Amino acid sequence: MKNLVGMGNNTQVTVFVFSGLTDNDQLIPFLLFFFLMVYIVTILGNIGLIILVLVASNLHTPMYYFLSCLSAVDLLYSTAITPKMLSDLPSIRKTISFNGCALQFLFFAGLAGTEVFLLSSMSYDRYTAICHPLHYVSIMTKGKCFSLASLSFFMGFLQSAVHTSCLFSLQFCGSNIIDHFYCDVLPILRLSCSKTFLCNVLTILFVGSCGLYSLSAILVSYSLIFTTILRIKSSEGRQKAFSTCSSHLVCASIFYVSVFLTYLHSPSSALDKQDKIASVFYTVMTPMLNPLIYSLRNQEVKRAIVQAIQHISHIIQ
């Protein structure tokens, strides 16, 4: 039964219904347990990394300042999607109000945009550290780091606010079934009974421009970084220089590959299983993987974790 309110000669949807992650009932217990564990690890990993950066003096550098910002974004980003997905998995009717859907999309798009800009800021930080090591401290000041992080949040939520305003000012007077497990732009656009040309253009503009800007900044930065690394004579020096940026490169690659797999197709095409899998990866899995990758691949983080464990053990004893 559709939830509609009258609007002159038309009706407006007040409640959306998700098709969900799967229609296979036998998979639901496994998926519920698996994604609950993923979400718990995401919370613990990102909060733990934020606290570690705050308390460990050897991590009070621009690189780890941006990493703590990324962890905060990942934590909020996952929370905008995962709890609702978990509560919907065992439910027969997976509903969300019109305003709730708009709010979820606002935070999802805003935090995704913020992550995109943060990843490009982190690549600039790595470029400065490796290509201009003697001037690194004078270039990457606390004020500049704060400005880059603040700009990332501002730009992310600015594009999200414009995008959300356009998308949810459309008329929805037909089907209210969103073929997805959260409120995303392409499945919602397909439900509108009004002209969607402007929103389609904004989607291409925002996803394309934000993605291309960030990806271009990352590719240019790493082209210069690799050129500089290749000029280092000692193999130990090359390995040390590369290890400082490998974690960021892995995280950025995972995020962009999964996003491009989801959005690089026609807005009118039907959402298939591959799209949902890619969406799960960058909305649920990536926020969990980022702190794990930085923890496992970064020697300074490992040392800080060991020191923190030793300090806690000493206090307990």
Side-chain angles (χ1 to χ4, degrees):
M1 193 74 177
K2 294 178 185 177
N3 293 75
L4 306 164
V5 295
M7 294 188 66
N9 295 326
N10 297 317
T11 52
Q12 172 73 5
V13 169
T14 60
V15 173
F16 289 112
V17 179
F18 295 124
S19 64
L21 193 58
T22 181
D23 52 7
N24 187 340
D25 293 340
Q26 294 180 343
L27 279 176
I28 289 176
F30 167 75
L31 292 176
L32 185 61
F33 175 77
F34 176 75
F35 287 122
L36 178 61
M37 292 299 102
V38 167
Y39 186 54
I40 291 172
V41 173
T42 300
I43 293 173
L44 295 177
N46 284 290
I47 291 178
L49 199 52
I50 292 169
I51 294 173
L52 193 66
V53 171
L54 287 173
V55 301
S57 58
N58 64 313
L59 301 184
H60 291 173
T61 63
M63 175 182 174
Y64 296 105
Y65 171 76
F66 286 119
L67 179 56
S68 63
C69 291
L70 184 67
S71 289
V73 169
D74 282 335
L75 182 63
L76 297 171
Y77 182 59
S78 178
T79 301
I81 303 295
T82 310
K84 176 61 178 170
M85 182 191 73
L86 288 172
S87 66
D88 282 343
L89 270 172
S91 302
I92 296 174
R93 186 171 169 82
K94 305 166 178 58
T95 62
I96 188 170
S97 68
F98 184 89
N99 291 335
C101 189
L103 192 64
Q104 185 186 59
F105 179 79
L106 174 69
F107 281 97
F108 159 70
L111 292 164
T114 301
E115 179 144 349
V116 163
F117 289 111
L118 273 177
L119 288 171
S120 59
S121 297
M122 293 171 78
S123 69
Y124 173 71
D125 170 70
R126 292 298 83 209
Y127 156 75
T128 308
I130 293 173
C131 299
H132 302 283
L134 298 178
H135 304 286
Y136 179 64
V137 176
S138 61
I139 294 173
M140 298 303 294
T141 61
K142 289 183 179 180
K144 190 168 189 177
C145 293
F146 178 77
S147 296
L148 285 171
S150 299
L151 184 63
S152 297
F153 279 93
F154 175 75
M155 294 300 295
F157 277 92
L158 177 63
Q159 61 86 22
S160 175
V162 175
H163 208 168
T164 303
S165 298
C166 178
L167 184 59
F168 288 91
S169 64
L170 297 173
Q171 296 298 310
F172 299 91
C173 48
S175 172
N176 66 337
I177 299 176
I178 297 176
D179 186 21
H180 216 333
F181 60 92
Y182 67 96
C183 294
D184 199 6
V185 57
L186 301 182
I188 294 174
L189 279 174
R190 286 194 286 270
L191 297 182
S192 176
C193 54
S194 54
K195 293 181 179 179
T196 61
F197 175 76
L198 178 60
C199 285
N200 281 325
V201 170
L202 284 176
T203 300
I204 296 170
L205 179 65
F206 286 144
V207 174
S209 61
C210 292
L212 287 175
Y213 161 77
S214 178
L215 192 58
S216 298
I218 291 171
L219 290 176
V220 170
S221 296
Y222 277 102
S223 297
L224 296 171
I225 286 170
F226 290 144
T227 302
T228 301
I229 290 175
L230 290 175
R231 288 202 296 261
I232 299 175
K233 294 181 180 180
S234 68
S235 59
E236 184 181 349
R238 286 196 298 269
Q239 184 177 359
K240 184 178 179 181
F242 183 74
S243 67
T244 63
C245 58
S246 59
S247 298
H248 171 261
L249 191 57
V250 170
C251 291
S253 299
I254 292 172
F255 182 80
Y256 277 105
V257 168
S258 55
V259 168
F260 286 157
L261 285 175
T262 302
Y263 290 103
L264 283 185
H265 55 65
S266 170
S268 61
S269 63
L271 198 76
D272 54 29
K273 290 181 180 179
Q274 287 76 14
D275 292 319
K276 288 188 178 181
I277 291 171
S279 296
V280 166
F281 210 81
Y282 79 83
T283 57
V284 180
M285 300 301 295
T286 300
M288 177 195 71
L289 291 174
N290 284 347
L292 294 179
I293 290 170
Y294 273 97
S295 299
L296 295 174
R297 295 181 63 87
N298 192 289
Q299 295 299 322
E300 288 182 317
V301 174
K302 285 182 181 178
R303 284 196 294 270
I305 292 172
V306 171
Q307 289 172 2
I309 292 172
Q310 290 174 345
H311 181 67
I312 292 171
S313 299
H314 180 72
I315 292 174
I316 292 174
Q317 291 174 357

